[in-house]
């Protein structure tokens, strides 16, 4: 199976091509530039580098969120467009699970996190069990303090993963004291190669109904929905 994996859920942009269980190529950048301008040229570059034709692809795996509202829409829209055009499979994987997947076979509970502003985070809880990455607690949008306090009631040790961990390191250390660790530096950026491997054995989804998992609406949309409680999300999308 030939797979293209796409992640634009945060500042970093990562794409990879996987054949069966082997990462053939991967491209990751971590700069503040518009994913909408860079994603398709990057895909073209990587596909050319590995001498693949788009018609050879069997599946697209995309990071489905949580993360940047705009970034997620860009990645998911391009993934769905490729799926429709090429008539191939689509799989969505949690952006947080992808990050947790960087820490292969870690003995700790894995705590991937993204900053969600106002002292809130997007996070979840994962663990390697018998060679498989298992979701222990569902992905959520929560205050960092409440999450750290909740984790403090669980037994075990915890590993923080993500570029934004330093924003909340003191909070986690306060509640978890000597039971919290930071992942190695190489593991804090999302990697589309990991994303693609996680998506190899997942069931494909219906591309027509697939949407990102925002966990929390953008502030502009939240305000709009309060003012238009009887209208659907599609009406908001049309308005903007």
């Amino acid at each position: 199976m030939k797979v293209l994996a796409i992640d634009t859920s945060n500042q970093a942009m990562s794409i990879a091509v996987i054949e069966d269980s082997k990462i053939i190529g991967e491209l990751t950048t971590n700069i503040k530039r518009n994913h909408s301008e860079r994603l398709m040229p990057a895909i073209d570059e990587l596909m050319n580098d590995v001498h693949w034709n788009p018609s050879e692809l069997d599946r697209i795996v995309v990071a489905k969120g949580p993360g940047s509202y705009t970034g997620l829409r860009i990645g998911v829209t391009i993934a769905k467009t490729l799926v429709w055009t090429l008539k191939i499979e689509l799989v969505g994987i949690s952006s947080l699970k992808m990050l947790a997947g960087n820490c292969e076979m870690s003995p700790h509970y894995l705590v991937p996190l993204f900053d969600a502003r106002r002292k809130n985070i997007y996070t979840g809880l994962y663990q390697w069990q018998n060679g498989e990455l298992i979701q222990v607690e569902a992905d959520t949008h929560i205050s960092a303090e409440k999450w750290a306090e909740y984790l403090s009631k669980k037994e075990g040790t915890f590993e923080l993963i993500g570029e934004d961990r330093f924003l909340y390191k003191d909070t986690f250390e306060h509640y978890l004291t000597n039971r919290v660790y930071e992942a190695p530096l190489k593991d804090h950026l999302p990697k589309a190669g990991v994303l693609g491997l996680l998506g190899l054995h997942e069931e494909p989804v219906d591309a027509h109904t697939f949407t990102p998992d925002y966990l929390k609406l953008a502030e502009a949309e939240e305000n709009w929905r309060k003012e238009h409680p009887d209208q659907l999300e599609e009406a908001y999308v049309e308005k903007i």
Side-chain angles (χ1 to χ4, degrees):
M1 177 183 287
K2 290 188 174 182
V3 173
L4 170 65
I6 299 170
D7 172 47
T8 57
S9 55
N10 285 283
Q11 176 176 296
M13 182 190 77
S14 187
I15 58 173
V17 286
I18 294 102
E19 186 168 12
D20 299 325
S21 296
K22 182 179 180 181
I23 298 173
I24 306 300
E26 185 176 56
L27 190 158
T28 301
T29 57
N30 188 25
I31 54 178
K32 290 185 177 180
R33 289 183 59 189
N34 195 329
H35 293 326
S36 64
E37 298 174 355
R38 300 171 52 239
L39 181 55
M40 280 308 302
I43 291 173
D44 288 340
E45 178 185 345
L46 184 58
M47 294 285 285
N48 287 332
D49 283 348
V50 300
H51 304 292
W52 281 15
N53 189 292
S55 62
E56 298 176 54
L57 292 171
D58 300 296
R59 172 176 287 193
I60 305 289
V61 179
V62 65
K64 65 179 182 178
S68 159
Y69 191 78
T70 302
L72 286 170
R73 284 197 167 182
I74 291 167
V76 168
T77 298
I78 288 180
K80 291 174 69 170
T81 300
L82 290 171
V83 165
W84 289 329
T85 303
L86 300 172
K87 296 180 173 56
I88 57 177
E89 297 175 344
L90 175 67
V91 167
I93 297 291
S94 162
S95 307
L96 292 165
K97 185 174 184 178
M98 169 183 56
L99 202 55
N102 286 347
C103 301
E104 190 172 5
M105 302 306 170
S106 169
H108 311 294
Y109 282 113
L110 301 173
V111 187
L113 63 87
F114 306 133
D115 179 39
R117 300 181 181 179
R118 299 177 182 174
K119 299 182 179 180
N120 295 317
I121 55 175
Y122 297 115
T123 189
L125 193 65
Y126 293 82
Q127 187 180 47
W128 286 98
Q129 298 178 12
N130 300 318
E132 184 178 358
L133 185 59
I134 302 298
Q135 186 176 51
V136 179
E137 298 281 353
D139 294 349
T140 186
H141 173 271
I142 191 172
S143 81
E145 185 168 10
K146 285 184 178 179
W147 184 239
E149 183 180 12
Y150 174 78
L151 294 180
S152 71
K153 299 172 184 176
K154 297 179 71 72
E155 295 183 359
T157 53
F158 302 86
E159 189 167 2
L160 302 180
I161 317 162
E163 290 263 277
D164 298 326
R165 71 199 180 283
F166 67 92
L167 297 172
Y168 303 101
K169 180 181 177 182
D170 290 346
T171 299
F172 282 96
E173 288 181 344
H174 172 74
Y175 283 97
L176 297 169
T177 57
N178 61 348
R179 295 194 295 135
V180 63
Y181 304 89
E182 290 187 56
L185 288 176
K186 65 180 179 62
D187 293 333
H188 294 294
L189 273 181
K191 299 172 185 174
V194 171
L195 175 69
L197 292 174
L198 289 172
L200 274 178
H201 305 294
E202 296 293 328
E203 288 295 317
V205 298
D206 182 352
H208 292 277
T209 58
F210 179 75
T211 56
D213 286 343
Y214 298 115
L215 294 187
K216 181 182 184 299
L217 297 175
E219 185 174 358
E221 184 166 352
E222 279 188 336
N223 293 336
W224 186 88
R225 287 194 176 190
K226 288 176 183 177
E227 296 172 2
H228 304 83
D230 299 326
Q231 298 192 46
L232 300 175
E233 178 184 3
E234 287 78 3
Y236 172 79
V237 175
E238 289 174 2
K239 182 175 178 61
I240 62 172

